[in-house]
Amino acid sequence: MIAQQLLNGIVVGGVYALFALGFNLVFGIQRILNLAHGAVFMAGAFTAWYTVVNGGPLWLGFLLAMALSGCLSVLIELVCFRRLRRTGDEEFGAIISSIGASLVIMTIAQRISGTRIVRFPFDTFPIQIYQVAGLRISLLQLFMAAAAFALVVVMAWFVYRTPWGRRIRAVTENARAAMLTGVNPNAVYRQTYFMAGALAGAAGVLVGLAFNSIHYMMGEPYLLFGFVIIILGGLGSIPGALLAALLFGMMQTLTIAFLPTGLTNAVIFLGLFLILLLRPHGLLGREEAGQLRGRR
Amino acid sequence: MNLRLKLMAAAAALAMAAAGAPARAETVRIAVVLGTTGAYAFVGVPLWNGLRMAHDELVAAGGYGPHAIEMTFEDNRSERAEALSLVTRFARNPDVHMIVGPIATSEALATGPVANENGVVMFTTATSPAVLEIGPWLFKSTETADAYLAPVARHITGVLKPASCYIVGIRDNEGYVRQAQVFKGLLEAGGVAISGEESILSTDSDFTALSTKIVSANPPCLFVTAPSETAANVIIQARQAGLAPDTILVGDSGAGSQSFINAGGRAVEGTLFPASFVADASPEARAFADAYAARFGGPPDLWAATGHSMMRVIAHALASIPEGQVTRAAIRDAMAATRDVPVVLGSGRMSFDENRVPHVGGIVMQIRDGGWAMP
């Protein structure tokens, strides 16, 4: 059963990675924690759900969720962070501002959904179980793993292999220097927030499909997970976040499977604490990355 | 006007006010605190529908005797802290004569002491008998787990006879913890082994690892005791993980709610559950079901019938109190004297025993073709 649970952990970790990568991308480029990221994730799940229950196909719901979540994320950047950025002291202000944005989005979702927990219809995704080398893997798990992998690869390609990605990395290193070379930091921020939001929206749909529970507060625990993952992986490190997400997913699944259920979170967070004792800057983090004011 | 006339006028005004006082006191104010949103909305919404429907029928039929009734409703959003705040507010208001709700055992255990200390009847749907141990002002409408789970346990051990059963329950609500323990004991007493026992939180939604454990154990029977949508979610994810199609699925009374069927869809087909309401059990139950469907656009579930029955019990108690003598203590005594009150639940009669434990009689039901049927 260990191999089966590891497989479960990798699939769940892949979804965590989608969420955490967007969270980390924003932190990496602006050194701010966007605490409305969980609300964006929730909005994505609701968008796909509304599409499906109104007769639309799941693929359309998935795309709409990514598009809407991306736009919502850009809106948060424009409304909550841009003005603060001009003051040059946005780190703590952004935390408060994003909490406010999160509350507004969640309240709207609560009103619209009537505080109900909704779910995709049972047959939205076909239940097909495959036996591979003694392991059971469902079609939904394959889809989740494939979608997470494809989106992470696309994001990595975008960041590391395209002119847009070069601009993002240039702004990450030094926004003023990038501006002197003709890069418009605001445009880069918009692209980054859209990408982060789209990834969160995709993660929301996958979580809604896998765990059958879409509600206005569903983003809150993922925000905590995302925070843990980016700390564990190393603040601002995309490969670190990916590694940490997979590790976190596996640790979570294995502790649920083999330990008394009440101890799960205590054991997970004890493990994370021990890892951080040995590597204070995270698995793949750099010393300066953890310093919020370190790069300007 | 001289001083004497002023004093006479004041005395007359006081006398008129005093004469009017009993008339105002005859309006019995009932505060209803239920979660019609959040985790327990699957109980709260139909329960409130049933209460309102019975209230309207009773008003039309003069079922409250000489008393006028005023109901105030508040949604505690299935949050224990909000329930505590609302019950405290109503319990401390001397104009409120009794409180109906809250729903869950966890909520009732938190709010019960407040009602008891303030000397106001609290009539809850909590399942745990521990609620009644808080004090004499506490009443509940649901039978204890030992009583209502016994028929479904007998059906499994005596008719279906699986070799073993896997149990999944909620650990952050004492009522569900007790249901899991009671059902486990009943199965073991009937010769069915327990192949696994797991607990989850009522807010959990990722049951991936749990589903793998369940499927790996390949249990012939799976009992899930949790709020209806969470229970349906556990079953869905177990199905998605490869739970055998012929696994005997068993739920608690929450499986008799429409939200369980809505949430679970085809995944929960065949689920057995303990029920205290069957629409065709009696002409009264059938009439209630038809009237409910006409008014609310769908068939009543157990909780709608429970709400209707609770209001009947309240009305029976109030009607037994003479005009002008309605006090909190009089309501408590009248509620405690509830015997064979006609209701739409179970055998058609509800009684409280000397420990205020309700008795209505229960049966086994099954989800079939998206509805409820006898197995």
Side-chain angles (χ1 to χ4, degrees):
Chain A
M1 193 169 68
I2 291 179
Q4 183 68 54
Q5 295 289 12
L6 278 174
L7 180 69
N8 291 338
I10 290 169
V11 173
V12 172
V15 179
Y16 289 160
L18 285 183
F19 182 88
L21 282 176
F23 198 32
N24 209 20
L25 202 59
V26 168
F27 182 82
I29 196 166
Q30 283 192 328
R31 299 292 186 270
I32 59 171
L33 286 171
N34 175 14
L35 297 182
H37 200 62
V40 173
F41 160 89
M42 173 271 296
F46 266 108
T47 304
W49 176 77
Y50 274 113
T51 308
V52 170
V53 296
N54 284 302
L58 180 62
W59 63 264
L60 179 64
F62 199 85
L63 293 179
L64 285 176
M66 289 184 70
L68 185 130
S69 300
C71 293
L72 187 59
S73 188
V74 171
L75 187 67
I76 290 167
E77 196 275 324
L78 291 172
V79 174
C80 302
F81 302 139
R82 184 159 293 189
R83 187 174 288 275
L84 281 173
R85 203 161 52 241
R86 289 185 196 135
T87 67
D89 190 26
E90 72 267 34
E91 287 92 357
F92 293 108
I95 289 175
I96 302 299
S97 183
S98 60
I99 289 174
S102 177
L103 288 173
V104 168
I105 296 167
M106 286 201 299
T107 304
I108 292 169
Q110 184 189 8
R111 289 279 172 190
I112 293 174
S113 67
T115 324
R116 286 180 305 143
I117 299 172
V118 298
R119 54 197 37 82
F120 290 101
F122 179 58
D123 49 4
T124 299
F125 207 90
I127 294 180
Q128 186 79 42
I129 310 290
Y130 302 103
Q131 297 279 349
V132 182
L135 298 177
R136 266 187 319 272
I137 183 156
S138 68
L139 187 61
L140 177 60
Q141 283 181 310
L142 280 176
F143 172 73
M144 287 170 66
F149 179 75
L151 287 168
V152 169
V153 166
V154 167
M155 195 206 76
W157 171 79
F158 183 84
V159 172
Y160 294 114
R161 291 281 183 272
T162 66
W164 293 283
R166 259 199 304 279
R167 287 182 205 126
I168 289 174
R169 283 180 286 134
V171 172
T172 303
E173 289 296 324
N174 192 321
R176 287 181 187 164
M179 202 155 52
L180 291 174
T181 63
V183 175
N184 177 359
N186 283 338
V188 169
Y189 293 144
R190 276 199 302 274
Q191 288 165 5
T192 309
Y193 272 87
F194 184 85
M195 200 155 46
L199 289 175
V205 181
L206 294 179
V207 165
L209 275 173
F211 306 149
N212 304 295
S213 181
I214 300 170
H215 56 96
Y216 75 101
M217 288 187 71
M218 68 184 284
E220 296 297 287
Y222 286 87
L223 198 63
L224 178 64
F225 296 160
F227 193 58
V228 169
I229 286 166
I230 66 169
I231 298 278
L232 181 63
L235 286 168
S237 167
I238 289 175
L242 187 59
L243 179 66
L246 293 174
L247 189 65
F248 187 81
M250 286 190 283
M251 281 175 72
Q252 193 181 44
T253 309
L254 289 175
T255 50
I256 291 171
F258 297 106
L259 292 175
T261 39
L263 291 176
T264 304
N265 280 341
V267 171
I268 288 176
F269 284 96
L270 180 66
L272 297 177
F273 175 67
L274 291 176
I275 291 172
L276 289 177
L277 272 183
L278 296 172
R279 294 192 61 84
H281 306 297
L283 294 171
L284 301 179
R286 291 176 300 176
E287 192 173 348
E288 71 271 21
Q291 295 169 353
L292 288 177
R293 294 171 187 272
R295 290 189 198 172
R296 276 287 131 201
Chain B
M1 190 183 291
N2 62 28
L3 181 61
R4 177 178 285 187
L5 277 175
K6 282 181 182 171
L7 285 172
M8 284 175 67
L14 280 173
M16 286 172 71
R24 281 200 301 276
E26 285 312 299
T27 297
V28 181
R29 293 178 182 84
I30 302 173
V32 181
V33 178
L34 302 172
T36 51
T37 57
Y40 299 114
F42 76 96
V43 176
V45 171
L47 193 78
W48 178 226
N49 288 345
L51 284 165
R52 282 185 293 157
M53 189 173 148
H55 172 68
D56 293 346
E57 291 169 0
L58 288 159
V59 168
Y64 293 112
H67 315 297
I69 305 296
E70 188 180 299
M71 285 208 290
T72 305
F73 170 77
E74 291 286 353
D75 174 14
N76 71 304
R77 302 195 302 159
S78 306
E79 297 284 345
R80 191 171 8 189
E82 291 206 26
L84 183 59
S85 169
L86 289 166
V87 167
T88 303
R89 190 214 302 172
F90 289 127
R92 288 181 180 169
N93 180 352
D95 289 337
V96 173
H97 291 89
M98 71 176 292
I99 297 168
V100 175
I103 291 169
T105 295
S106 55
E107 296 170 342
L109 287 175
T111 57
V114 176
N116 203 58
E117 284 162 16
N118 286 277
V120 61
V121 165
M122 192 174 102
F123 193 14
T124 169
T125 57
T127 54
S128 171
V131 169
L132 298 179
E133 293 165 11
I134 292 171
W137 296 90
L138 275 290
F139 292 85
K140 65 199 282 291
S141 61
T142 50
E143 293 185 291
T144 58
D146 310 67
Y148 67 76
L149 286 173
V152 74
R154 273 198 303 273
H155 183 74
I156 289 165
T157 57
V159 179
L160 303 174
K161 299 179 180 173
S164 65
C165 199
Y166 205 105
I167 293 178
V168 178
I170 292 280
R171 66 171 178 273
D172 57 348
N173 182 318
E174 193 191 315
Y176 289 106
V177 172
R178 179 162 175 77
Q179 287 184 152
Q181 289 169 345
V182 165
F183 198 70
K184 179 185 173 187
L186 290 167
L187 289 186
E188 285 177 331
V192 174
I194 304 302
S195 55
E197 196 177 355
E198 294 293 334
S199 69
I200 55 176
L201 296 172
S202 53
T203 51
D204 280 349
S205 59
D206 175 4
F207 305 121
T208 314
L210 174 66
S211 299
T212 296
K213 282 180 88 170
I214 295 170
V215 173
S216 298
N218 194 23
C221 159
L222 172 64
F223 173 64
V224 184
T225 174
S228 65
E229 294 183 330
T230 306
N233 201 1
V234 170
I235 294 172
I236 289 172
Q237 290 190 40
R239 290 271 195 226
Q240 287 170 335
L243 185 72
D246 58 350
T247 306
I248 301 164
L249 298 174
V250 191
D252 57 30
S253 53
S257 67
Q258 187 63 47
S259 65
F260 181 77
I261 294 175
N262 292 346
R266 287 191 297 108
V268 300
E269 270 290 312
T271 303
L272 296 159
F273 61 94
S276 300
F277 172 67
V278 186
D280 292 320
S282 66
E284 291 78 17
R286 173 42 60 197
F288 158 70
D290 292 343
Y292 185 95
R295 178 164 172 177
F296 296 106
D301 62 6
L302 165 68
W303 299 111
T306 301
H308 192 275
S309 300
M310 286 172 81
M311 209 67 221
R312 288 265 190 96
V313 167
I314 293 167
H316 184 269
L318 293 175
S320 70
I321 302 172
E323 189 174 5
Q325 295 182 29
V326 175
T327 62
R328 287 179 169 188
I331 293 174
R332 182 200 59 196
D333 294 344
M335 287 285 289
T338 295
R339 300 286 184 277
D340 290 329
V341 175
V343 294
V344 295
L345 287 172
S347 62
R349 302 273 163 180
M350 183 182 278
S351 299
F352 293 154
D353 66 19
E354 64 277 10
N355 297 316
R356 287 164 284 119
V357 175
H359 296 277
V360 289
I363 53 164
V364 183
M365 294 287 283
Q366 186 171 35
I367 292 172
R368 198 180 298 158
D369 299 326
W372 303 290
M374 305 282 276

